[in-house]
Amino acid sequence: MKLVYIMAASVLVMGHANALESIYDADSNAGRTTQFNYGPVSSVSVQTSSSHYLAAYITTRDQATCTSAAIYDEGGANLVSQLQISDNKAVYGAIDAGYEALSKVVKLTCHDHNGSYLVHHKVPAAPSISYERTLDLANWVAAGDRTPGYFADVTISPQLAINTYAADGLCNIVEFNAAGPKLFNGEAQVNNIHSNFFSQRAKTGYDAYSSTLVYGIKCSNAGGTTLLVDEWRVTELNQSGQVSTSYY
C-alpha cells in the first residue's frame, strides 16, 4: 500500500491567488492503487493494463467531488492526455501512441468543504523486455507421410531482462503454435515482478507441419502491456529467428 504526502501550491488565476493543495503519490513504486490518508480522495485504483487507454476507479470522502482529470509526464509539466470523469467514480480516456515508454502521473482536480486539491497518482511506463537467445536443436527425424521432417529435441537458451517499473507487474509466456518455453526459472508465469534477469534453459517444441516456432513474452502493469514475439523458421540445415516488440 502506498503512502502519500501533501504540499500547498499557489496558483494564479486571472490575477488572483487561489490555494490549490497538492496531494502527491509519494511512493517510489507506481502501482495500480494508491491509498490517500488525507484530502478529498481516499483511493485511486487503475483497472486497465493498456498503453493506449486508462480507466480507474476513485473513491472520495464525504461530499467531495472531482471535476477534471488529465495525464501528464512524470515531472507533471507536459500534458499527455485529457481524461473524463463519470459519476464522481470513474476516470477514463485514450492515450495517444508514442507515450508507451514514458512514466506518467494522473492529476485529479477535486474539491471538498475544506478547499480545492490536485491529487496525483503515478502511472508506470509500459514494461521493458530485453531478450537474447539461441535455439539448440538435436535428433532430426526424417520426413514421413505426415511431416516434412523435424527436430525431436528443441531447447531455448535465453538471456532475459525485464523491468515492469512497478511492484505488481505480471509476465507470462504466450503460446502461439507450440508449447511455450518456461523461461521464468522453469515457470511460464511470474507475478509481482518489478525487475529481474532470467537465464533458464528451457525445452520446448515447434509445429513440425509449418516448420515454425512462435511464442511470446508478455508483461503488463497499470501503464500498459508489452508483447515480445520470437518467431523461428526451422529446417534441417537452417534455423533463423526474428524478435519483434509491440505495445498494447
Side-chain angles (χ1 to χ4, degrees), residues 10-25:
S10 294
V11 178
L12 297 178
V13 180
M14 296 180 64
H16 299 284
N18 295 318
L20 186 63
E21 192 171 6
S22 289
I23 303 179
Y24 287 100
D25 179 347

Side-chain angles (χ1 to χ4, degrees), residues 224-235:
T225 296
T226 305
L227 176 64
L228 180 146
V229 176
D230 193 8
E231 183 172 0
W232 288 86
R233 178 72 178 176
V234 178
T235 67

Side-chain angles (χ1 to χ4, degrees), residues 102-214:
L102 180 71
S103 296
K104 297 174 279 290
V105 60
V106 173
K107 294 185 180 184
L108 302 168
T109 301
C110 304
H111 316 273
D112 64 13
H113 62 278
N114 291 316
S116 299
Y117 307 81
L118 197 60
V119 180
H120 298 66
H121 172 76
K122 291 180 180 178
V123 177
S128 67
I129 305 173
S130 178
Y131 192 46
E132 297 290 340
R133 77 284 183 249
T134 58
L135 191 65
D136 303 314
L137 304 106
N139 299 323
W140 175 258
V141 178
D145 294 337
R146 300 185 61 190
T147 66
Y150 64 95
F151 287 97
D153 297 313
V154 182
T155 302
I156 295 286
S157 299
Q159 301 292 317
L160 172 61
I162 288 171
N163 192 339
T164 67
Y165 306 106
D168 54 6
L170 169 68
C171 293
N172 63 280
I173 300 300
V174 180
E175 298 179 351
F176 286 105
N177 72 346
K182 296 180 178 180
L183 300 178
F184 304 115
N185 295 332
E187 301 295 330
Q189 179 172 307
V190 59
N191 300 318
N192 298 321
I193 176 174
H194 190 169
S195 62
N196 210 335
F197 177 82
F198 304 91
S199 59
Q200 175 78 30
R201 281 175 56 88
K203 287 193 174 295
T204 187
Y206 69 100
D207 184 348
Y209 298 97
S210 66
S211 299
T212 59
L213 168 61
V214 187

